Amino acid sequence: MIRIQTVSAVVVLALAGAACAPIVGSHGYQALEAAPADVVVGTDTRESVKARLGSPSATSLFEGDDVWYYVSQTMEKYTFNPAAVSQRTVVEITFNDADQVASVRTLGLEDGQQVAMNRRETPTRGRELTVLEQLLGNVGRGQLPRTDEDAPGQRRPD
């Protein structure tokens, strides 16, 4: 009896410990063979960077195709909590007019800024309906098929 209680207690503790372990997910660019930090300023070109690192995660909207971004992040999710970003790395590679690497910057999670989203909504015309009004709104609006006698403007055959 004591042995069964001991085994069940160990199983319960193992399950409780497993429930506290986070689920870790890696998203974005994953450096397998070459890291973005290995890019050499002045020697590497656009083609060599693309051959070594692959296509960028994003390119700059304002500088054209002169700035490439390689973005990766790690997220952790505990049992019932929302997922949170635990690590983020953004590598910014800037090219000059001769298609050579001009600068390489590595930014982390602490370099980011929180952007407050505007929660205002654009109003729509019309009125808002409750759930009951939406469900019962068409009851009584339908028409039965008309007979020849109900057709307005037509003469009845005699």
Side-chain angles (χ1 to χ4, degrees):
M1 185 68 163
I2 295 175
R3 183 175 174 96
I4 294 173
Q5 291 175 348
T6 306
V7 169
S8 62
V10 168
V11 169
V12 167
L13 288 175
L15 290 174
C20 295
I23 298 172
V24 178
S26 297
H27 305 281
Y29 176 76
Q30 304 296 320
L32 299 176
E33 297 174 5
D38 297 338
V39 175
V40 180
V41 176
T43 9
D44 281 326
T45 62
R46 195 180 302 259
E47 289 79 23
S48 66
V49 170
K50 192 167 188 179
R52 185 181 302 159
L53 301 178
S55 298
S57 301
T59 58
S60 176
L61 294 175
F62 301 109
E63 286 89 11
D65 201 27
D66 292 338
V67 182
W68 287 2
Y69 298 101
Y70 291 91
V71 182
S72 66
Q73 71 180 13
T74 303
M75 298 185 75
E76 293 182 355
K77 181 179 186 314
Y78 289 93
T79 309
F80 294 109
N81 298 330
V85 178
S86 61
Q87 180 183 12
R88 180 179 297 134
T89 305
V90 178
V91 177
E92 176 188 74
I93 301 175
T94 307
F95 298 98
N96 58 16
D97 294 335
D99 281 346
Q100 291 182 334
V101 176
S103 69
V104 178
R105 276 192 339 167
T106 303
L107 306 169
L109 187 60
E110 63 278 353
D111 296 320
Q113 296 178 357
Q114 290 290 333
V115 177
M117 299 298 287
N118 192 347
R119 298 287 181 213
R120 293 184 296 172
E121 296 178 0
T122 304
T124 57
R125 297 186 340 179
R127 63 183 199 125
E128 294 184 20
L129 300 176
T130 64
V131 174
L132 190 59
E133 287 176 329
Q134 290 177 12
L135 290 175
L136 301 176
N138 288 328
V139 174
R141 287 190 184 176
Q143 295 179 355
L144 296 174
R146 292 192 153 182
T147 62
D148 292 335
E149 296 175 2
D150 293 336
Q154 294 185 2
R155 292 177 53 191
R156 286 183 24 191
D158 288 294

